[in-house]
Amino acid sequence: MPENSALEFIGIFGGAALLDYVLGDPWALPHPVQVMGWGIQRYQTLALSWLKRPRPQRIAGIGLTLLLTGMSGLVAWGILAIARQLSPWLYGGCHIVILASCWAGRSLRQAAEDVLLPLGEGNLDQARSRLRLYVGRDTEALEEAEILRAVLETVAENSVDGVMAPLFYGLVGAIVPGLGAAPLAIAYKAVSTLDSMVGYREPPWTHLGWCSARTDDILTWMPCRLTVLTLALISGHPRRVWQLCQRDGPRDPSPNSGWSECAYAASLGVQLGGTNRYRGRIKQKPRVGEPHQPITPEIIRQGLHLTRTCFILWIILALGILGAWQWRMTGLN
């Protein structure tokens, strides 16, 4: 590793975290996820129109997953390689921008506040309308308690998928020589974007999206469990949180969303899950956690604060690992 690798780590991750916190994802500027979405949309349109049988669709889904993931990581790596040759400042700036685009901390906070603001003013209709932008369930008839539950469930699930998991892969890329933080983080972001667009268990995506959904489940498994452990530790009740997650997490058909939602529910002393309606069809979502207190706007903000705390702790821990490794290698030399 270069002599200033720890300083480079601080500059890149600190700059990316600050950029995400202050700026987030400006809608007026191009974003890597928009480019990914454009490619996915056109690929799936062609695949579904040309391929009518399950097996060819599955093969096309494997190709889509490999192509988008590989291209995303390769493009990021290529941009950084060129920038490093031109200027260390250009390299650092490009690395910060690409890495920050992989995190959705500010976007998640803005989405929650976008719903909580009209709800706090007693405007249920506007809160329902805004909630519809962020969740897949029907929102037209939701009362205040159900709106708050939907917001907290969104915060819990997306804190793992949109914040902690991309951070995890960015940290792995930064620590392991030869990988790079941004290329690995954006490769994960590509898989997550695929899962959100085609990773459904219903037609017409059942077979085309199978590979991306399964890949997302596998790649999210480790950062999800580490997030659960971190939340358990900072909650002040680690044993209770972990026991509730072991009890309730496996009830969800997803190997990760049940665990992430239960970790937040148990840490905050609330219960998530229940009856949801999707395009007019009722679906029972497993209940996780214990209802020690009702879900309130303040509880949701506490959940967002838990995510920020996890985020900072992981960066500090990774910096410690990197610093210790660098110190050891310096001593050996």
Side-chain angles (χ1 to χ4, degrees):
M1 285 192 180
E3 187 178 349
N4 64 338
S5 59
L7 293 176
E8 184 178 283
F9 178 97
I10 295 172
I12 290 173
F13 277 86
L18 183 62
L19 185 63
D20 177 61
Y21 184 82
V22 174
L23 194 60
D25 300 328
W27 287 29
L29 298 178
H31 192 279
V33 172
Q34 293 175 327
V35 179
M36 293 176 191
W38 180 87
I40 294 168
Q41 185 62 47
R42 277 145 187 78
Y43 188 103
Q44 74 162 350
T45 299
L46 292 174
L48 292 175
S49 62
W50 291 352
L51 308 173
K52 302 300 181 183
R53 298 179 64 83
R55 185 169 182 176
Q57 287 186 3
R58 285 201 168 204
I59 294 174
I62 294 172
L64 175 59
T65 303
L66 294 175
L67 180 64
L68 188 71
T69 305
M71 284 297 295
S72 299
L74 186 61
V75 168
W77 181 87
I79 291 172
L80 294 177
I82 294 172
R84 188 185 282 275
Q85 293 297 320
L86 296 174
S87 164
W89 291 103
L90 180 61
Y91 167 80
C94 289
H95 214 147
I96 286 171
V97 171
I98 297 172
L99 191 57
S101 72
C102 298
W103 301 333
R106 181 177 177 86
S107 298
L108 186 58
R109 187 170 71 252
Q110 286 179 324
E113 293 294 345
D114 192 39
V115 179
L116 294 179
L117 181 60
L119 194 63
E121 297 171 348
N123 192 336
L124 278 179
D125 288 337
Q126 190 175 17
R128 292 165 181 153
S129 177
R130 291 186 179 180
L131 179 64
R132 193 180 303 121
L133 300 173
Y134 309 111
V135 300
R137 71 192 72 179
D138 299 340
T139 63
E140 295 82 2
L142 294 183
E143 297 299 329
E144 181 176 355
E146 289 301 298
I147 293 174
L148 290 169
R149 176 170 71 86
V151 173
L152 185 54
E153 287 174 353
T154 300
V155 167
E157 187 168 355
N158 286 281
S159 288
V160 173
D161 295 345
V163 181
M164 301 308 299
L167 173 62
F168 172 81
Y169 285 102
L171 293 173
V172 170
I175 293 174
V176 178
L179 291 181
L184 205 60
I186 207 163
Y188 172 82
K189 194 71 174 179
V191 173
S192 180
T193 303
L194 273 169
D195 181 57
S196 66
M197 291 188 66
V198 299
Y200 298 101
R201 300 185 180 186
E202 57 187 40
W205 304 282
T206 308
H207 304 291
L208 182 67
W210 167 82
C211 180
S212 57
R214 184 60 179 154
T215 303
D216 182 76
D217 287 342
I218 294 170
L219 293 181
T220 307
W221 193 92
M222 180 59 73
C224 177
R225 277 23 179 218
L226 291 176
T227 301
V228 170
L229 286 172
T230 309
L231 288 173
L233 290 172
I234 65 178
S235 71
H237 308 282
R239 184 173 181 180
R240 186 190 70 188
V241 171
W242 183 250
Q243 287 177 340
L244 284 173
C245 288
Q246 285 184 309
R247 186 193 73 181
D248 297 342
R251 294 177 181 175
D252 196 285
S254 166
N256 299 309
S257 63
W259 281 78
S260 59
E261 289 186 10
C262 188
Y264 279 86
S267 298
L268 297 168
V270 300
Q271 188 174 70
L272 297 176
T275 303
N276 295 336
R277 187 181 296 271
Y278 299 88
R279 293 186 290 277
R281 293 186 299 176
I282 293 177
K283 180 179 178 180
Q284 293 293 334
K285 194 170 184 179
R287 295 189 183 275
V288 296
E290 298 287 351
H292 296 299
Q293 58 182 333
I295 301 172
T296 63
E298 181 55 33
I299 289 290
I300 293 171
R301 293 184 179 104
Q302 288 177 21
L304 291 166
H305 179 71
L306 286 175
T307 302
R308 286 195 297 272
T309 303
C310 277
F311 187 91
I312 294 169
L313 284 176
W314 281 21
I315 291 178
I316 292 173
L317 179 61
L319 178 60
I321 294 172
L322 183 61
W325 190 91
Q326 184 176 347
W327 176 81
R328 182 174 181 273
M329 294 306 296
T330 302
L332 290 176
N333 293 332

